[in-house]
Amino acid sequence: MAEFVRSKIRSIVTDPATAGLLSPRTFPFATKRPCLGTGYYETYNLPHVSLVDLRATPIERITPRGIRTSDGEHDLDVIVLATGFDALTGSQLAVDIVGKGGVTLRERWAEGPRNHLGLVSAGFPNLFTVLGPLSPSVLTNITVSLEQQVEWITDCIDHLLRNGLTEIDATPSAEADWGTRVAEIAARTLYPAVDSWYTGANVPGKPRVFLAYAGGLDRYREECDAAARDGYAGFVLSSSTGGRSLPDPNRTLRRERIPGCE
């Protein structure tokens, strides 16, 4: 499969040396996403485009004229700093989220994300995570995954309202079991063996954990539906209102499907 991808790159990029640099050889196929974008490889055939291999000639410094690498200076008008991203956990840990006992989510996830079904982290009641860590998210069609999780959360909130409940939290034991299951499924694949954003390896100091559920959306949906059918097994539901009035238990939450996303 990897050689098939490389053959396609060679069929598009006319310069053999450039095609070779663009052909992945340091990781198994699909453990990093292959570039399949329209016109990406064709760009390297333009006369004013050249490719610099920074593994062979590292950047030494930025200069007034451009960038100096170990093989000389490259004159540039614009430098785009594509520095990567902190996948799946970064957007949540960038917010100062505080749970029970004053514990922050950042502290709770110091050694990697922890939650049940990729939905709720123990000690952070009513904090639902959508397309976050330990869910199928980036390994599936995200629109379909998003719809599945939002519908599950909507049904859960409806259940709480109808039963006079105000709080749902994950149990630590269910959270631990789910983390183990996600890791075990990932271990059957080549994903964890590769330095990638799937494992957080692109962010210095980030715990090395495979961040997504690799068992498929169909199995994940079954897991979520089974938990709901079993009275939200793995979760603790309560009605500690703290002086607040309960919502109307007869209120019905409305769900609307987006056209084309059924």
Side-chain angles (χ1 to χ4, degrees):
M1 180 61 73
E3 179 53 31
F4 171 78
V5 173
R6 291 192 286 262
S7 73
K8 288 296 185 181
I9 295 171
R10 290 194 297 268
S11 73
I12 298 172
V13 181
T14 55
D15 176 58
T18 301
L21 289 175
L22 291 169
S23 298
R25 296 182 181 278
T26 59
F27 52 89
F29 171 74
T31 54
K32 294 186 178 182
R33 290 182 175 180
C35 295
L36 303 175
T38 302
Y40 174 74
Y41 290 107
E42 289 82 353
T43 300
Y44 290 94
N45 295 330
L46 299 176
H48 60 284
V49 175
S50 59
L51 176 63
V52 178
D53 182 3
L54 294 180
R55 290 187 175 89
T57 58
I59 292 176
E60 293 182 346
R61 62 189 177 93
I62 307 298
T63 70
R65 294 173 51 186
I67 294 178
R68 177 178 294 280
T69 66
S70 61
D71 71 340
E73 189 167 13
H74 301 268
D75 292 349
L76 302 170
D77 295 319
V78 177
I79 299 173
V80 179
L81 300 176
T83 57
F85 52 95
D86 190 351
L88 294 172
T89 59
S91 59
Q92 295 167 72
L93 298 183
V95 182
D96 190 23
I97 299 173
V98 182
K100 290 181 176 179
V103 178
T104 66
L105 191 64
R106 198 174 296 112
E107 292 169 333
R108 187 82 169 82
W109 288 4
E111 297 180 2
R114 302 164 67 179
N115 58 40
H116 183 40
L117 295 176
L119 292 166
V120 178
S121 185
F124 296 83
N126 298 348
L127 178 65
F128 293 103
T129 301
V130 178
L131 293 183
L134 310 187
S135 76
S137 57
V138 294
L139 299 183
T140 63
N141 181 315
I142 284 183
T143 302
V144 179
S145 287
L146 176 64
E147 186 176 51
Q148 180 271 326
Q149 287 192 315
V150 168
E151 289 188 351
W152 190 94
I153 292 168
T154 301
D155 289 340
C156 177
I157 294 173
D158 193 41
H159 174 83
L160 294 173
L161 293 176
R162 288 180 178 277
N163 289 276
L165 301 167
T166 60
E167 184 174 294
I168 180 171
D169 199 355
T171 68
S173 59
E175 180 182 75
D177 289 344
W178 181 248
T180 298
R181 190 176 313 173
V182 170
E184 287 176 346
I185 293 173
R188 302 174 195 169
T189 75
L190 295 171
Y191 283 121
V194 177
D195 287 338
S196 70
W197 59 263
Y198 288 131
T199 60
N202 65 311
V203 178
K206 186 171 182 175
R208 181 69 177 267
V209 178
F210 190 71
L211 295 167
Y213 173 81
L217 182 58
D218 54 345
R219 292 182 179 86
Y220 176 76
R221 185 189 298 271
E222 292 172 3
E223 295 267 12
C224 292
D225 289 347
R229 285 195 305 269
D230 197 20
Y232 291 92
F235 298 94
V236 176
L237 281 58
S238 63
S239 57
S240 302
T241 62
R244 295 169 295 169
S245 59
L246 289 171
D248 180 1
N250 296 316
R251 177 188 173 206
T252 300
L253 295 181
R254 187 177 69 178
R255 295 190 310 196
E256 294 183 358
R257 286 182 175 273
I258 301 172
C261 293
E262 287 81 5

